[in-house]
Amino acid sequence: MRKQNVSIAIIICICLLMFNPANVKAEGKGIDDPLLAVQQFVLEAPKDFPTTSSWIHNSIISAIPLYGINDTVSAYCVDFFNEDVKQEAYMIVNITSGEPQILEFHPNGKSPYSDSGQEEYYYGGFENYYVKENDGQLQNLLTNTLASRDEVLWDGTASTSGVFLSVTDGYHNISGVPDYKWRNGCTPTSLAMSIKYRFGSSVDGQNTLIDRLAKACVTDADGYTSSVDIQPGVLSYLSSKNITPSFCRAYSVLAVSDIPVFGAASNPLPAYKSYINSDVPVIILMEGAKGTSAAYPNGFGDHTVCGTGYYVGSAGQFVIVHTTGCEGDVYVAYSEAALGNFAWFIVY
């Protein structure tokens, strides 16, 4: 994984929401102008979420109308700024249900719509953002691919939150997992947090542990560690301490080797939760992760973190991690947009 150049900011999370009005009060109810209702709603909503409850002072940057299947405005994408943590964020808010209803809330970074011009913008459901091209086709602002309107558009009524409903609500965060700052690579630093938690005084202290893991895992001078070198490196280090772990490998590996298999399909959230519930930290290997923060405005990219917990509830599905930025518990959405192409690695 690539070398971390700067400390990661306070919180990283992306969440998909289809809120019951009982959960978040629509402050704009009764306002005739849908745009004004949405703006007022967005200014008040963040303080009702567990991950942004301290966000009290918000200001609107832009509010962009989003068209739906009938070429009518069905939602707004509102970019706003929070003065409390000096952070940009955006919400996509449905206006077809009688009162503002959150479809997406991304507490870190600008929306894909924000840097574009005055084109007509469309919304195709969770993280499917489009702009209308001259030939009538829609271009995906994240992938730059083209598709016809009828193929991709959301009709304003179908719920896109079903992917989150298979995992039971809950919260668990392992107490006492070290929060180490980046040293000689994000992978050895993250591995050191897990190994120190599991094996305690039987292994080296923080700096020596990270340094020896970096050497054993063949981490290069830029802090990059190949995923194929992680398991043999960890086993080699633990063997030097006369420790034989009960388990040491990626959660999902190729049948003919111990090379990690990346992707959400091979690394489901219930598996992650089962380890966390057993007080086993989970190393998360990420490639091309788009989760952002003030320190990573362009996304995590290729990075490794130490998973210590999870939160699943009305605000979405999150893994809780230590980022090698020495910043405490950070919430990252369990999604391929936030985590990129990812894999779990476990040792205990």
Side-chain angles (χ1 to χ4, degrees):
M1 302 298 161
R2 74 181 183 191
K3 181 176 180 180
Q4 175 175 330
N5 295 318
V6 291
S7 296
I8 300 175
I10 59 167
I11 185 169
I12 297 176
C13 59
I14 304 174
C15 53
L16 166 63
L17 300 168
M18 290 293 291
F19 269 98
N20 185 314
N23 294 333
V24 179
K25 182 180 179 182
E27 297 292 342
K29 186 176 181 180
I31 299 177
D32 291 334
D33 187 329
L35 175 56
L36 291 178
V38 166
Q39 290 177 320
Q40 185 171 335
F41 174 74
V42 169
L43 291 174
E44 297 293 331
K47 67 177 183 293
D48 293 312
F49 308 138
T51 54
T52 54
S53 59
S54 64
W55 288 30
I56 306 300
H57 305 97
N58 306 299
S59 57
I60 302 295
I61 297 173
S62 65
I64 298 171
L66 304 179
Y67 291 88
I69 191 68
N70 297 317
D71 284 330
T72 58
V73 176
S74 61
Y76 282 91
C77 178
V78 182
D79 281 80
F80 64 99
F81 184 77
N82 176 256
E83 293 287 349
D84 302 300
V85 296
K86 307 300 180 184
Q87 199 160 296
E88 292 188 35
Y90 69 94
M91 282 188 190
I92 295 179
V93 181
N94 177 28
I95 61 170
T96 65
S97 59
E99 57 187 19
Q101 183 183 55
I102 295 173
L103 301 176
E104 297 185 30
F105 175 29
H106 299 252
N108 303 84
K110 298 178 180 179
S111 75
Y113 300 107
S114 63
D115 293 328
S116 301
Q118 298 298 318
E119 297 91 348
E120 292 184 3
Y121 300 108
Y122 288 77
Y123 182 64
F126 182 60
E127 294 188 342
N128 285 284
Y129 316 125
Y130 298 94
V131 60
K132 187 175 182 180
E133 294 295 297
N134 292 332
D135 58 3
Q137 288 190 306
L138 302 183
Q139 180 182 10
N140 189 304
L141 292 173
L142 297 182
T143 66
N144 293 323
T145 56
L146 291 173
S148 69
R149 183 184 60 183
D150 293 340
E151 286 178 309
V152 299
L153 286 189
W154 173 71
D155 65 7
T157 60
S159 171
T160 56
S161 62
V163 293
F164 289 107
L165 301 180
S166 61
V167 181
T168 305
D169 287 4
Y171 165 85
H172 184 69
N173 197 20
I174 305 170
S175 175
V177 179
D179 187 17
Y180 293 157
K181 189 173 181 61
W182 191 98
R183 177 184 173 90
N184 284 339
C186 54
T187 299
T189 303
S190 296
L191 286 167
M193 298 184 211
S194 175
I195 288 171
K196 189 64 176 178
Y197 175 78
R198 293 300 304 180
F199 300 107
S201 60
S202 297
V203 298
D204 294 302
Q206 177 178 342
N207 289 349
T208 301
L209 175 58
I210 295 172
D211 293 346
R212 291 195 61 188
L213 284 169
K215 183 177 180 180
C217 294
V218 200
T219 302
D220 68 19
D222 292 325
Y224 172 79
T225 307
S226 173
S227 60
V228 301
D229 293 320
I230 295 174
Q231 184 198 40
V234 172
L235 288 173
S236 175
Y237 171 77
L238 292 177
S239 177
S240 74
K241 294 295 183 179
N242 297 315
I243 297 172
T244 302
S246 300
F247 191 94
C248 180
R249 64 164 213 172
Y251 170 75
S252 182
V253 295
L254 295 175
V256 296
S257 72
D258 289 314
I259 299 174
V261 176
F262 285 75
S266 299
N267 299 275
L269 185 58
Y272 175 90
K273 290 178 62 180
S274 69
Y275 286 107
I276 297 298
N277 288 337
S278 299
D279 288 339
V280 176
V282 177
I283 303 303
I284 305 176
L285 313 173
M286 302 184 293
E287 297 177 341
K290 294 180 180 178
T292 63
S293 70
Y296 278 77
N298 296 319
F300 278 114
D302 299 342
H303 192 48
T304 300
V305 296
C306 180
T308 67
Y310 63 85
Y311 165 82
V312 178
S314 60
Q317 294 186 157
F318 299 88
V319 294
I320 304 171
V321 305
H322 290 172
T323 64
T324 76
C326 201
E327 55 177 334
D329 297 335
V330 173
Y331 287 69
V332 183
Y334 177 78
S335 79
E336 290 182 322
L339 295 173
N341 195 31
F342 65 93
W344 314 136
F345 185 90
I346 303 100
V347 54
Y348 63 89

